[in-house]
């Protein structure tokens, strides 16, 4: 399954760079203010009748102090804003400890698990190895990660949906990616690869994590959904299901039926 890597806008490195850039901008502004007030601080002109020496020295001190106070306040304000704005999303691998999205706040159940796709669910029938031989040959040529199961809905012998699941139990590469990327980044990469521009999130159910669905580019009748948690990245694609809420409901059913944990 093709994944297009995009900029990790939820990563710690991105957030750190954004904060550093903000602080550098504040520092430049402070330097500009300091040099822009140089002539004013030197007191080039005095009020009529003022004693030149004493008044000039005192006025310079007051003006310099005033500018320094303003610069200190600006610097302190910039630091406070930078600290408040720093908020990288938790990595996908930490989803069970800290939910990484608004859809599911509860931690997912943990413990021994098995991945067993249902033989029949929501009108879909799991196709046999013989029925899907040609699809599996094409799949092998792409060297996909994880495992794929094909489903027929109208008994015509053609694939109407496919379920693809990859877990950190099977893939060390996925485990590495989940320690590096947030779920938002995973979804951004996935839907960019599917060329979907209308993806939206839906409740992810009792297993936690997050679930999102969208349409393939220029194919309003073909939906593609993805779910992710601390150890799994799964997808369910359906032909002839254009309503995303319906696609999300069916995907959730397949996820809950396939991923058994204790």
């Amino acid at each position: 399954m093709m994944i297009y890597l995009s900029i990790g806008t939820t990563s710690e490195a991105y957030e750190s760079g954004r904060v550093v850039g903000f602080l550098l901008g504040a520092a430049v502004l402070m330097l500009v203010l300091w040099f822009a007030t140089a002539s004013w601080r030197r007191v080039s002109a005095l009020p009529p009748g003022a004693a030149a020496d004493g008044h000039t020295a005192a006025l310079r001190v007051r003006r310099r102090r005033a500018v320094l106070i303003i610069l200190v306040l600006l610097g302190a304000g910039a630091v406070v804003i930078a600290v408040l704005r720093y908020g990288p999303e938790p990595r996908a691998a930490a989803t069970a400890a800290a939910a990484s999205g608004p859809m599911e706040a509860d931690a997912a159940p943990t413990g021994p698990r098995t991945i067993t796709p249902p033989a029949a669910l929501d009108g879909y029938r799991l196709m046999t190895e013989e029925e899907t031989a040609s699809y599996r040959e094409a799949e092998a040529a792409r060297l996909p990660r994880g495992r794929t199961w094909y489903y027929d809905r109208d008994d015509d012998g053609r694939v109407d949906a496919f379920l693809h699941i990859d877990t950190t139990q099977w893939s060390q590469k996925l485990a590495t990616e989940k320690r590096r990327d947030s779920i938002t980044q995973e979804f951004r990469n996935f839907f960019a690869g599917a060329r979907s521009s209308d993806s939206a999130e839906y409740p992810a159910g009792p297993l936690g994590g997050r679930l999102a669905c969208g349409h393939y580019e220029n194919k309003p009748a073909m939906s593609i959904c993805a779910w992710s948690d601390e150890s799994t990245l799964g997808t369910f694609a359906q032909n002839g299901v254009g309503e995303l809420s319906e696609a999300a409901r069916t995907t959730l059913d397949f996820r809950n039926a396939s991923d058994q944990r204790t």
Side-chain angles (χ1 to χ4, degrees):
M1 189 168 295
M2 188 174 294
I3 299 294
Y4 288 84
L5 187 63
S6 57
I7 297 173
T9 56
T10 63
S11 67
E12 295 178 5
Y14 181 88
E15 283 291 304
S16 298
R18 193 166 66 91
V19 167
V20 170
F22 176 78
L23 292 176
L24 286 176
V28 170
L29 177 62
M30 293 166 65
L31 286 174
V32 169
L33 180 61
W34 177 257
F35 287 110
T37 60
S39 60
W40 180 74
R41 286 183 283 106
R42 283 197 297 267
V43 192
S44 56
L46 295 175
D53 293 337
H55 184 86
T56 299
L59 191 57
R60 283 176 177 169
V61 170
R62 287 198 300 273
R63 291 185 176 182
R64 186 173 184 272
R65 184 179 299 153
V67 173
L68 287 174
I69 290 174
I70 293 173
L71 293 178
V72 169
L73 291 175
L74 283 175
V79 170
V80 170
I81 293 174
V83 170
L84 292 177
R85 291 178 63 183
Y86 180 76
E89 185 179 310
R91 305 302 87 190
T95 303
S100 68
M103 308 309 296
E104 293 294 329
D106 297 332
T110 58
R113 67 189 301 202
T114 57
I115 301 295
T116 307
L121 184 65
D122 291 346
Y124 288 98
R125 172 187 64 84
L126 180 62
M127 301 176 71
T128 65
E129 293 282 342
E130 293 75 14
E131 290 177 299
T132 59
S134 60
Y135 294 100
R136 296 191 180 281
E137 288 178 6
E139 175 186 314
R142 293 194 301 270
L143 296 176
R145 287 161 39 187
R147 301 175 187 177
T148 304
W149 297 269
Y150 299 92
Y151 287 84
D152 182 15
R153 185 174 53 201
D154 48 16
D155 292 325
D156 62 356
R158 293 185 296 182
V159 173
D160 292 310
F162 69 82
L163 173 68
H164 182 87
I165 299 177
D166 194 11
T167 77
T168 55
Q169 293 174 284
W170 303 337
S171 172
Q172 183 58 43
K173 187 173 182 180
L174 180 65
T176 300
E177 291 174 354
K178 283 190 172 292
R179 289 192 296 268
R180 181 193 67 202
D181 299 331
S182 66
I183 291 182
T184 294
Q185 184 65 21
E186 286 183 323
F187 282 175
R188 184 181 294 118
N189 292 342
F190 176 79
F191 287 106
R195 293 183 172 87
S196 175
S197 60
D198 63 347
S199 61
E201 293 203 27
Y202 296 87
L207 293 178
R210 287 162 62 184
L211 182 149
C213 297
H215 293 106
Y216 282 101
E217 183 183 37
N218 300 323
K219 296 179 180 179
M222 291 190 66
S223 62
I224 179 73
C225 296
W227 72 87
S228 177
D229 54 42
E230 78 282 1
S231 61
T232 309
L233 183 60
T235 64
F236 189 70
Q238 303 172 77
N239 186 27
V241 180
E243 180 60 46
L244 292 185
S245 60
E246 180 184 351
R249 179 190 60 79
T250 306
T251 299
L252 186 57
D253 288 345
F254 270 84
R255 180 195 184 192
N256 292 336
S258 302
D259 193 337
Q260 301 297 320
R261 310 190 194 189
T262 59

